């Protein structure tokens, strides 16, 4: 690390705050110097730390800063790091209802590589994005929450609507391993019948619509362990019927005979727990949504798998 490098980084940081704070390049450089040279903090981290310090001092959010001309054009599936300033060309695949007044719009953006969640801050003062339209979005900042990436549109973002269409790719994922856990909310469930709701009822209640006459459905929330990592996999009714060989009608009959819906998940567990599967499907939040399910034979050590299953 030469002093010239530090000086360049100090100038970069200074530029971002020069409108907001009375600070000199020398002062910024001094802070960087202390961290990098005295405390041996890696330069990236030192930059982040110094930037955070000035953000606090200026009472600003990181989103308020511009990218400083360092944005990179990326495909949405390649976003794998938070706090990067990037440009994307993407289609608004879906708009969701914002759950906070701080958010003007929230939804899903897609390009050929896949999809990514986006959030547009209310205070960003940007034009309304339309579902199905394609935009060039410059200067958006990446974020990460529980392993899922998103992009934030902020005050510095430039939005340009393009008169073209774009084929949105699916991010599908394949996981292969032992099915080691079946989580609660699996088996025979009831969903809210209200138009567009479909929430799973808890003790006959929808969290949105209260007591309702639910509609029966099948699903399995399972954990598949590939030996390195545990993956959450969601099987919808069709995939559950295929996985377990039990139809919705059979499941209802079984629950009726036992006067208990939990017997269904128990019965399913005896069939599938500890067995090996290859599951492919699109991802949603932390789940792989099982589209294709294939039973594998090579149960390496069934005893070890079961010990693992019981310990979860
Ligand atoms: Zn409901």
């Amino acid at each position: 690390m030469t002093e010239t490098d530090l000086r360049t980084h100090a100038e970069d940081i200074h530029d971002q705050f020069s409108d907001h704070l009375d600070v000199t390049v020398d002062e910024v450089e001094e802070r960087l110097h202390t961290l990098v040279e005295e405390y041996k903090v890696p330069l990236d981290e030192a930059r982040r730390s110094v930037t955070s310090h000035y953000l606090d001092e200026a009472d600003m959010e990181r989103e308020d800063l511009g990218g400083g001309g360092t944005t990179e054009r990326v495909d949405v599936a390649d976003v794998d790091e938070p706090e990067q300033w990037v440009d994307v060309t993407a289609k608004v695949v879906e708009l969701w209802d914002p759950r906070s007044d701080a958010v003007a719009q929230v939804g899903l953006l897609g390009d050929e590589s896949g999809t990514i969640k986006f959030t547009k801050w209310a205070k960003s003062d940007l034009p309304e994005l339309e579902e199905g339209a394609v935009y060039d979005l410059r200067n958006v900042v990446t974020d990460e929450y529980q392993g899922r990436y998103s992009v934030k549109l902020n005050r510095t973002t430039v939005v340009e609507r393009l008169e073209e269409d774009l084929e949105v790719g699916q991010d599908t994922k394949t996981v292969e391993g032992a099915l080691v856990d079946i989580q609660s909310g699996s088996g025979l469930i009831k969903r809210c019948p209200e138009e567009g709701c479909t929430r799973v009822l808890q003790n006959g209640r929808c969290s949105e619509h209260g007591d309702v006459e639910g509609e029966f459905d099948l699903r399995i929330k399972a954990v598949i362990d590939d030996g390195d990592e545990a993956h959450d996999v969601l099987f919808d009714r069709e995939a559950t019927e295929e996985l377990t060989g039990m139809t919705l009608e059979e499941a209802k009959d079984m629950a009726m005979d036992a006067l208990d819906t939990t017997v269904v998940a128990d019965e399913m567990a005896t069939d599938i727990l500890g067995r090996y599967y290859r599951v492919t499907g699109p991802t949603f939040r932390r789940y792989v949504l099982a589209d294709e399910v294939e039973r594998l034979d090579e149960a390496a050590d069934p005893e070890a798998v079961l010990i693992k299953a019981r310990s979860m």
Side-chain angles (χ1 to χ4, degrees):
M1 177 62 41
T2 67
E3 291 301 313
T4 331
D5 285 339
L6 272 190
R7 185 78 187 173
T8 311
H9 287 289
E11 281 166 357
D12 266 7
I13 296 172
H14 176 264
D15 284 351
Q16 294 187 299
F17 289 99
S18 52
D19 291 344
H20 308 278
L21 284 178
D22 191 18
V23 61
T24 65
V25 178
D26 284 344
E27 284 163 353
V28 179
E29 188 180 358
E30 180 59 35
R31 279 183 186 279
L32 279 175
H33 184 271
T34 303
L35 290 173
V36 174
E37 300 298 330
E38 288 175 34
Y39 293 97
K40 307 296 174 200
V41 173
L43 181 65
D44 277 3
E45 258 174 68
R47 265 194 78 137
R48 255 200 304 273
S49 166
V50 170
T51 304
S52 292
H53 169 84
Y54 290 119
L55 283 170
D56 279 350
E57 205 158 280
D59 198 19
M60 289 162 64
E61 301 293 329
R62 201 168 286 270
E63 282 85 7
D64 297 337
L65 291 178
T70 56
T71 56
E72 190 191 346
R73 183 159 291 277
V74 296
D75 290 336
V76 299
D78 292 339
V79 171
D80 60 359
E81 220 184 323
E83 291 181 19
Q84 301 298 301
W85 289 83
V86 297
D87 300 341
V88 296
T89 299
K91 182 173 179 169
V92 178
V93 180
E94 274 176 25
L95 288 172
W96 306 327
D97 289 332
R99 297 195 172 204
S100 154
D101 290 342
V103 174
Q105 285 187 294
V106 60
L108 209 57
L109 293 174
D111 64 14
E112 282 90 351
S113 71
T115 56
I116 194 166
K117 179 187 165 183
F118 81 93
T119 302
K120 192 184 86 182
W121 297 116
K123 66 178 181 182
S124 66
D125 212 17
L126 293 171
E128 194 82 359
L129 303 187
E130 268 177 53
E131 210 167 86
V134 176
Y135 296 90
D136 192 34
L137 303 167
R138 295 189 290 278
N139 230 21
V140 301
V141 65
T142 63
D143 195 10
E144 186 255 6
Y145 179 69
Q146 293 186 343
R148 302 288 299 175
Y149 293 97
S150 66
V151 291
K152 304 273 166 81
L153 280 56
N154 57 83
R155 221 182 286 177
T156 71
T157 301
V158 179
V159 176
E160 189 189 342
R161 186 172 172 152
L162 305 178
E163 295 307 318
E164 60 186 66
D165 200 12
L166 193 154
E167 188 81 34
V168 174
Q170 283 264 26
D171 334 71
T172 61
K173 192 168 163 179
T174 297
V175 296
E176 194 177 308
L179 198 152
V180 293
D181 191 30
I182 295 175
Q183 299 178 308
S184 67
S186 296
L188 186 62
I189 56 162
K190 278 189 163 183
R191 292 188 186 277
C192 178
E194 290 290 322
E195 181 88 18
C197 182
T198 76
R199 280 183 179 80
V200 173
L201 305 184
Q202 306 289 339
N203 301 316
R205 280 184 67 81
C206 169
S207 59
E208 177 87 20
H209 301 102
D211 286 319
V212 287
E213 195 60 47
E215 287 169 352
F216 279 114
D217 195 9
L218 287 179
R219 78 160 177 199
I220 292 175
K221 290 159 83 174
V223 177
I224 289 185
D225 191 321
D226 66 11
D228 281 334
E229 221 184 321
H231 303 273
D232 291 300
V233 180
L234 195 62
F235 298 82
D236 65 3
R237 175 181 161 186
E238 208 185 324
T240 299
E241 289 180 341
E242 191 189 324
L243 181 71
T244 63
M246 193 190 304
T247 65
L248 178 60
E249 287 311 312
E250 287 166 350
K252 284 201 280 193
D253 287 345
M254 186 184 290
M256 210 89 84
D257 286 343
L259 297 173
D260 181 5
T261 54
T262 61
V263 296
V264 172
D266 292 345
E267 174 69 21
M268 288 174 169
T270 62
D271 277 347
I272 60 176
L273 207 57
R275 299 200 190 282
Y276 282 69
Y277 296 95
R278 180 185 297 124
V279 175
T280 303
T283 57
F284 176 68
R285 301 209 172 123
R286 64 195 166 90
Y287 290 100
V288 177
L289 307 178
D291 248 1
E292 285 166 49
V293 182
E294 192 185 340
R295 169 91 181 267
L296 304 175
D297 297 322
E298 65 258 39
D301 183 357
E303 196 54 33
V305 170
L306 278 177
I307 289 166
K308 194 160 191 180
R310 289 194 195 105
S311 70
M312 289 192 75

